Amino acid sequence: MNRLAAFRHLCSAALVLMASLSAGSAWAQATTGSGENVQSVGGPVRLNLPTNAKDEREREREQLMRLKQAQQGVDNADLFISPRMAYKPSDFELFVRQQAGITRAQGDRADADWLDTLRRFGADLMVPQARTPEGLSLDLPTSVPDDYQLSAGDEVLVNLWGSVEGNLRLVVDRGGQLAIPRVGTLSVNGVRFGDLRGVILRRASQQFKNFDVAVSMGRVRSIRVYMTGFVNSPGAQSLSGLSTVLQALVAAGGPSGVGSFRNIQLRRQGQAPMQLDLYDLLLKGDRGGDRTLRNEDVIHVAPIGTQVGVIGSVNRPAVYELKGGETLADVLAMAGGPAALANRQQAVIHRIDAQGQTQLRTVDLSKEAGQPAQNGDVLRLQGFGDVAQPSARQMKRVRVDGEVQRPGDYILPAGSTLRDALRAAGGTTAEAFLFGAELTRESVRLSQAENYERAMRDLEVELTRGLVKGKERTIPPNDEVYARNTALTRYVERLRNVRPTGRVVLGLALDARELPDMTIEDGDRLTLPIKPSSVSVYGSVMNSGSYVFANGRSLSQYVAMAGGAARSGDTGSLFVVRADGSVVSNRSSSGWFVGGGAVEGLQAQPGDTVFVPENLFHLGNSAELKDWSTILYQFGLGALALKNLK
C-alpha cells in the first residue's frame, strides 16, 4: 500500500508540474501575442514583436518612403527640402560690384556667372549649387548625439542577448511610452538617448537575469520649427528631429538679402534665447553654437548689421557683415588678408557721404587699420601687379557729378568708356542735358596749359612790336596811345591769370540721348548739367549778364538785349561758346572755331555764352593782332573766365 500511495503521489506531482508549464506557456503567448515566444528547456527566452505589429510597421515604413520619394524624387532622403531659390543680391552687393567694375553680361550662363560673383560672405553655404539631398552640403549626422531627447514617433532598436534574446524595433507612442514584450511599458518621453540603455536595462532586470542590452535609433521623428525674421522662406518647417539650427536655415533658403548671418537666435519655451553667429563656422570652423532643434522651436533672424565690401587685391573679395567695434584690420582678416602682390601700406575707401555722393579716401594701413569701418564702406586694395601693367591696362579712377543717380568717385576696369562711367553712377536723371556734358581730363589740361603759355608769349611779342610802332608814330606819345597801351597791358595780365580747364569737346548733337563710346583716362571728371534756361553775353557790351532763353531767337538779339556792343567792342571778332564747349567765331572757320561768318545771325542754343572782345589790338598796321582775341579761347577757358576778363 505504501508503494502504491507513493506512486500515486508522484503521478499527481507530475500532473501539477505539467499544468504549471502549460499555464506558463499560455501566459507568455498571451503577453507577446504570438506562439513564437517559447522557452526551450535550458535555453534563453526569445522575444519577438507580434506578427500583426511587424506587418503594420513595415507598411508604415513603405508609406513614409513613398511619401518622401514623391516629394523629393530621390531615395533615402532625410530632410524635406524646399525647391531651390534663386539668389537675389542686395542693393549694397550691386553697389560693391559696380565699384569693382563687374558688369552684367548677356545670356543665361553669363547671368548665372554674374549672380555668383562677389556675393555676401556665406551666401554659398545658404544657397548651394543644388537644393536636393544629393547636392546638400549639410547632411544629417550618421549617429544620434547623446543629448537627443526621445519623444513620440521615435523608433528605437533594442538588441538583447544572454538569458533573453531579441531584436526589437519599437516606436515611442503618443503618450511617450515604449512597450517591450515580457518587460512591460516604460516612459521614455524626454529621456536622453545616452541614458536610454540604462533605463531599459534597469527595467528588464526586474524580469530577467544574466543578459545585456544594446540600443540604437531607427527612424527619427519629424519636428516642426518656425522660421521668423529676415529669412527667404519664413514660416513653419517640417524637419528631422536630428536637425540643427544651421540645417533649418539651409532648408529655409538662409537669411534674406537684408538678414543677418551674425545675429541668429534660437528661442525655446522656458529658456533664454541662444545666439548663433555663422561667422564662427565660416571663418573658424567652429560649430559649437549650432544646437539640435526640438519640436516647436523658433529660429529668428535679425536684420543685417553693418556691411563693408572688400575688393581688389585680397584673397577673398566679398561683402562682410560686422559687429560693433570691428575695424578695418578685422575686415581684411575676414577677407583672408591682402593678396601676394597687394599694396599692404595703403588702401582706398569708397564712402557715400550725407549727400549720397561717393567719395574716395586713401588710408594708411600702417596707422589707420585700427579705425572702425563705417556701414556702406567699400575697401579696395591695389595690387602692385596692376600698377606694373601698362597704363592702358590699369584701373581708372573717374568722378561723375551733376544730374546722375549716384554722383561720386568710381574706379573702373581698363578699357571702360564714358558710358560705363555713367552706368556706374546709376544713369542720368530726367533733367540731365547730355549736350552740355563736361569732360575734363588732366592730360588735355596739361597740353592746353603748355600751348596757352606758348601763345601768351607769342602774343606779348606781337604786342611789344605794336607798342613800339605806336610810339614811333607818336613822338612824344599822346594820351590816347598811352591809355590804349595801358589797357592792353592790363588785358594781357588778366589773360595771364586765366588757366585752361582741360575740357574735351564731345561733339554731341543738341538732342543727344547717349554719350560717345569714348575710353576714359585716370582722373577724368564727367559733369552732366541740368538743361540751362539762359544765354549769357559778356565782354565789351553795355550790360553784361544772362538772359532767358527762348526758341527762335538769334545771337544778335541777345547782344541787343545786352545793350549792344560798346564803343570799344570789336564785333568783327565776336564769338560764342556753346554749352558743349565748342566755339563759333566771326574770324575763323577752322579748328575748334567752326562756322565762320556772321555769328550774330546764328540761332541761339541753351547755355550759349556770347563774348564781344575789346578793340585794343588795332594799332597802326598791326591788324593781324585781332586774331589773338579769339585764338586764345581754343584752350577751353570757360564762361567764367570770359566773364572775368571784362
Side-chain angles (χ1 to χ4, degrees):
M1 293 292 294
N2 292 336
R3 291 181 178 179
L4 181 60
F7 177 75
R8 289 177 177 176
H9 181 73
L10 181 60
C11 290
S12 178
L15 290 173
V16 171
L17 178 59
M18 292 175 64
S20 176
L21 291 174
S22 177
S25 176
W27 176 84
Q29 191 173 13
T31 302
T32 62
S34 172
E36 299 173 290
N37 247 353
V38 295
Q39 180 178 1
S40 303
V41 178
V45 177
R46 291 183 174 85
L47 304 180
N48 293 297
L49 287 176
T51 303
N52 57 350
K54 291 191 295 182
D55 294 342
E56 181 180 354
R57 187 76 204 119
E58 290 300 325
R59 286 195 299 270
E60 183 183 81
R61 287 179 58 82
E62 292 175 3
Q63 182 179 4
L64 179 64
M65 185 60 68
R66 285 196 299 270
L67 176 63
K68 290 181 178 180
Q69 292 176 358
Q71 289 186 345
Q72 301 178 3
V74 294
D75 296 329
N76 302 321
D78 292 315
L79 275 175
F80 295 111
I81 306 298
S82 58
R84 183 179 183 183
M85 303 166 192
Y87 181 75
K88 182 179 180 181
S90 66
D91 290 342
F92 183 65
E93 289 178 76
L94 297 178
F95 173 73
V96 174
R97 292 181 188 182
Q98 289 174 349
Q99 302 306 308
I102 299 173
T103 57
R104 186 167 188 169
Q106 301 296 324
D108 295 339
R109 182 62 260 168
D111 287 349
D113 293 339
W114 179 79
L115 286 173
D116 292 336
T117 302
L118 216 159
R119 301 193 293 192
R120 66 183 299 197
F121 182 59
D124 292 339
L125 178 69
M126 293 294 107
V127 188
Q129 292 300 316
R131 298 300 306 279
T132 59
E134 302 98 78
L136 189 62
S137 59
L138 295 171
D139 296 327
L140 290 173
T142 56
S143 61
V144 180
D146 288 342
D147 59 353
Y148 176 75
Q149 295 184 350
L150 278 80
S151 186
D154 282 332
E155 184 181 65
V156 179
L157 307 180
V158 182
N159 187 16
L160 302 97
W161 68 92
S163 63
V164 57
E165 292 182 351
N167 294 313
L168 307 177
R169 186 182 293 270
L170 309 173
V171 178
V172 181
D173 62 22
R174 294 181 179 179
Q177 303 287 323
L178 200 65
I180 304 178
R182 298 195 64 178
V183 174
T185 60
L186 63 158
S187 178
V188 295
N189 189 45
V191 173
R192 296 172 66 255
F193 175 69
D195 301 330
L196 180 61
R197 177 182 176 278
V199 172
I200 295 177
L201 186 62
R202 285 191 296 271
R203 182 59 181 273
S205 296
Q206 298 175 6
Q207 302 292 334
F208 305 104
K209 304 295 182 183
N210 301 322
F211 72 96
D212 205 349
V213 177
V215 296
S216 60
M217 290 296 297
R219 183 181 61 87
V220 178
R221 70 183 184 277
S222 296
I223 61 173
R224 181 174 60 185
V225 297
Y226 299 93
M227 310 298 298
T228 64
F230 296 87
V231 290
N232 280 311
S233 294
Q237 291 278 345
S238 294
L239 303 170
S240 165
L242 295 178
S243 299
T244 65
V245 176
L246 185 57
Q247 288 154 346
L249 285 170
V250 172
S256 65
V258 291
S260 175
F261 273 65
R262 310 200 63 183
N263 188 6
I264 300 170
Q265 292 183 348
L266 172 60
R267 298 177 179 178
R268 183 169 291 165
Q269 187 175 7
Q271 299 184 17
M274 292 168 276
Q275 296 289 136
L276 174 64
D277 184 349
L278 289 179
Y279 276 29
D280 290 339
L281 170 65
L282 296 170
L283 295 174
K284 307 172 187 176
D286 181 5
R287 201 174 171 180
D290 189 21
R291 307 299 181 92
T292 302
L293 296 172
R294 297 181 186 175
N295 197 41
E296 300 299 312
D297 277 350
V298 176
I299 300 174
H300 181 76
V301 178
I304 196 168
T306 298
Q307 294 186 88
V308 174
V310 184
I311 59 179
S313 189
V314 293
N315 290 315
R316 188 167 48 215
V319 174
Y320 295 90
E321 180 183 352
L322 307 185
K323 286 186 173 180
E326 290 181 317
T327 64
L328 295 178
D330 296 325
V331 175
L332 281 176
M334 293 177 187
L341 296 178
N343 182 353
R344 299 170 183 265
Q345 300 300 316
Q346 287 187 340
V348 175
I349 293 181
H350 305 243
R351 179 169 293 170
I352 301 178
D353 60 19
Q355 288 72 39
Q357 296 190 3
T358 304
Q359 305 290 339
L360 295 183
R361 186 171 73 87
T362 302
V363 295
D364 186 345
L365 293 178
S366 62
K367 299 178 181 179
E368 302 177 79
Q371 68 176 359
Q374 295 186 16
N375 192 26
D377 281 354
V378 179
L379 183 66
R380 177 193 293 273
L381 263 67
Q382 190 74 12
F384 288 119
D386 296 332
V387 177
Q389 293 180 354
S391 176
R393 298 182 182 178
Q394 296 181 18
M395 303 286 283
K396 310 299 181 185
R397 176 173 173 172
V398 60
R399 180 164 186 85
V400 185
D401 281 325
E403 294 301 315
V404 293
Q405 301 294 339
R406 292 187 297 271
D409 295 300
Y410 297 91
I411 297 180
L412 302 179
S416 298
T417 64
L418 292 178
R419 296 177 185 176
D420 296 327
L422 192 58
R423 279 192 291 268
T428 63
T429 65
E431 294 79 16
F433 185 47
L434 282 183
F435 175 73
E438 182 176 347
L439 173 64
T440 56
R441 177 167 290 177
E442 181 63 15
S443 61
V444 173
R445 188 193 67 81
L446 294 175
S447 177
Q448 287 178 348
E450 180 181 353
N451 293 331
Y452 185 73
E453 180 64 25
R454 184 182 301 112
M456 287 302 302
R457 288 197 301 266
D458 293 343
L459 175 61
E460 289 175 340
V461 171
E462 294 292 336
L463 290 177
T464 301
R465 294 175 181 173
L467 290 176
V468 171
K469 292 180 180 180
K471 290 179 181 180
E472 291 175 349
R473 288 195 304 270
T474 308
I475 302 176
N478 56 33
D479 293 340
E480 181 181 354
V481 174
Y482 177 79
R484 198 181 309 170
N485 292 345
T486 301
L488 194 58
T489 302
R490 291 176 180 175
Y491 189 76
V492 173
E493 289 176 354
R494 289 197 298 269
L495 286 174
R496 275 287 186 187
N497 293 327
V498 174
R499 291 292 179 266
T501 62
R503 181 172 183 177
V504 178
V505 177
L506 299 178
L508 297 172
L510 184 62
D511 57 350
R513 293 292 181 266
E514 192 173 35
L515 292 176
D517 198 21
M518 177 181 179
T519 304
I520 62 173
E521 292 185 5
D522 189 56
D524 279 355
R525 179 162 186 160
L526 178 64
T527 303
L528 270 70
I530 193 170
K531 187 173 183 178
S533 58
S534 64
V535 172
S536 300
V537 182
Y538 298 121
S540 188
V541 293
M542 303 300 296
N543 186 24
S544 298
S546 297
Y547 302 90
V548 176
F549 171 78
N551 285 323
R553 286 180 181 172
S554 66
L555 293 176
S556 62
Q557 289 178 283
Y558 285 99
V559 174
M561 293 172 68
R567 291 182 59 187
S568 60
D570 183 5
T571 57
S573 300
L574 181 146
F575 61 91
V576 57
V577 180
R578 299 291 193 187
D580 67 343
S582 61
V583 180
V584 183
S585 168
N586 271 346
R587 299 192 61 85
S588 178
S589 60
S590 62
W592 277 19
F593 301 91
V594 294
V599 174
E600 297 92 325
L602 296 177
Q603 185 172 329
Q605 295 180 359
D608 279 353
T609 299
V610 183
F611 190 76
V612 181
E614 295 279 356
N615 189 7
L616 298 175
F617 300 109
H618 187 56
L619 299 174
N621 296 323
S622 299
E624 68 276 4
L625 296 179
K626 284 177 172 286
D627 295 337
W628 287 102
S629 63
T630 51
I631 291 175
L632 292 175
Y633 300 106
Q634 67 178 299
F635 303 109
L637 302 182
L640 181 61
L642 299 181
K643 180 179 179 181
N644 293 334
L645 283 177
K646 176 60 178 172

